[in-house]
Amino acid sequence: MTTTLACPEEQDLPYNVFAKACPSRGTLEHVTGRWGGLTLGALYEGSMRFNELRRRVDGVSEKMLSQTLHALERDGLVHREAQPTNPPRVDYELTALGREVAARLLDLIHFVEGRMDDVLASRDRYDDTRGAR
Amino acid sequence: MTTTLACPEEQDLPYNVFAKACPSRGTLEHVTGRWGGLTLGALYEGSMRFNELRRRVDGVSEKMLSQTLHALERDGLVHREAQPTNPPRVDYELTALGREVAARLLDLIHFVEGRMDDVLASRDRYDDTRGAR
DNA sequence: CGGTATCCCGGCCGATACTG
DNA sequence: CAGTATCGGCCGGGATACCG
């Protein structure tokens, strides 16, 4: 690298996702993974039960939702509250840290949703010029 | 859903990532995918050449970087500028749209990096109580 | 340098069945 | 309802070889 650092807040932290071995890369993958992002986004609306969450995150299987929730709970982003009733009732909710992460994620999600027309138009142009080949 | 909508800017757009078939989900996966996010983050620092990018995004293979760049270019987030010199020189840079996406992504990335100590502490607690089982 | 083509393995993930 | 267990397909993605 030369001296250019256009990045507005280039931090000098011990963690750096760009490094292969940095644990932050793993957490980022939990957060931005196929189901992690949608799960955090759904829980931002409020506490939810397992099957409620399953319906909200269209297409997720029981197994993947379970795995995803475990990973997020382990990272301290989701809190699991089980009531020993019968039938059992378990509620999932974001922790304070989870809410901060989810807010940033939703900002990204909403932005992308809002610009999908541009994206689809770009795809058409790309496919027209390159696909003709 | 009931009436609770805690989400601050619940939009009424034609695109909704939570729906399985929505194209925005695909774009979001390009953006937040394993290599997509890091590639956009790296390019936020400025225009870069292929191998420069490869070195910056530690661990990415030629094949995956190539695939990732194609997907991002198709979605209109990255612009590819090839100069027909010899040896060839190709520069990649973010489009205006790409910069906006990358800025939001970096906000998330930096936040996660900054809170990794909390995350790692949470993991230790989780593994202590649950792993003992 | 800046890629593409091919091979192939591991693990992501869905489907199904079962438990408390 | 809220999961776990197990199986198997498929494809993400690394390694290698090759091209302009």
Side-chain angles (χ1 to χ4, degrees):
Chain A
M1 268 296 280
T2 62
T3 52
T4 50
L5 276 180
C7 187
E9 6 174 350
E10 188 72 19
Q11 305 172 21
D12 194 14
L13 290 168
Y15 302 107
N16 172 20
V17 273
F18 289 105
K20 182 162 50 174
C22 184
S24 63
R25 192 181 278 194
T27 297
L28 189 69
E29 280 171 18
H30 293 158
V31 169
T32 63
R34 182 156 179 209
W35 303 118
L38 294 176
T39 302
L40 289 173
L43 285 175
Y44 195 81
E45 295 169 10
S47 171
M48 275 196 203
R49 303 174 63 174
F50 189 82
N51 280 309
E52 207 172 351
L53 210 40
R54 242 200 98 172
R55 266 172 264 119
R56 184 74 221 271
V57 182
D58 192 18
V60 70
S61 67
E62 287 186 1
K63 179 179 156 185
M64 291 317 298
L65 182 57
S66 180
Q67 271 186 25
T68 301
L69 286 168
H70 279 311
L72 295 177
E73 188 192 355
R74 194 168 98 101
D75 284 354
L77 304 177
V78 162
H79 175 67
R80 180 181 187 273
E81 184 105 22
Q83 297 172 28
T85 59
N86 191 316
R89 179 191 176 98
V90 182
D91 287 274
Y92 291 94
E93 60 185 341
L94 296 181
T95 62
L97 184 58
R99 282 193 75 76
E100 296 201 76
V101 170
R104 284 164 172 80
L105 204 45
L106 282 170
D107 187 35
L108 175 64
I109 288 176
H110 289 148
F111 181 81
V112 169
E113 284 176 343
R115 296 298 207 96
M116 273 312 291
D117 285 334
D118 295 334
V119 169
L120 295 179
S122 173
R123 285 190 189 170
D124 285 344
R125 263 179 281 116
Y126 185 92
D127 293 344
D128 280 354
T129 58
R130 299 242 154 182
R133 157 174 80 93
Chain B
M1 266 298 276
T2 61
T3 52
T4 50
L5 277 180
C7 188
E9 8 173 348
E10 188 72 22
Q11 304 172 20
D12 194 14
L13 290 168
Y15 303 106
N16 171 21
V17 274
F18 289 105
K20 182 163 49 174
C22 184
S24 64
R25 191 181 278 194
T27 297
L28 189 69
E29 280 170 21
H30 293 158
V31 169
T32 63
R34 184 157 178 207
W35 304 117
L38 295 176
T39 301
L40 289 174
L43 285 176
Y44 194 81
E45 294 169 11
S47 170
M48 276 196 203
R49 302 175 63 175
F50 189 83
N51 281 308
E52 208 172 352
L53 211 41
R54 244 199 97 176
R55 267 171 263 119
R56 183 75 220 271
V57 182
D58 191 18
V60 70
S61 66
E62 287 187 0
K63 177 180 157 184
M64 291 317 298
L65 182 57
S66 180
Q67 271 186 25
T68 300
L69 286 169
H70 279 311
L72 294 177
E73 188 192 355
R74 194 169 97 101
D75 284 354
L77 303 177
V78 163
H79 175 68
R80 180 180 187 274
E81 184 105 23
Q83 296 172 29
T85 58
N86 191 316
R89 179 191 176 98
V90 181
D91 287 274
Y92 292 93
E93 59 185 342
L94 295 181
T95 62
L97 184 57
R99 282 193 74 76
E100 297 202 76
V101 170
R104 285 163 172 81
L105 205 44
L106 282 171
D107 187 35
L108 175 64
I109 289 175
H110 290 148
F111 181 81
V112 169
E113 285 176 343
R115 296 300 207 96
M116 274 311 291
D117 286 335
D118 296 334
V119 169
L120 295 179
S122 172
R123 284 190 190 171
D124 286 345
R125 265 178 280 117
Y126 185 93
D127 293 344
D128 280 355
T129 58
R130 299 243 153 181
R133 174 168 64 95

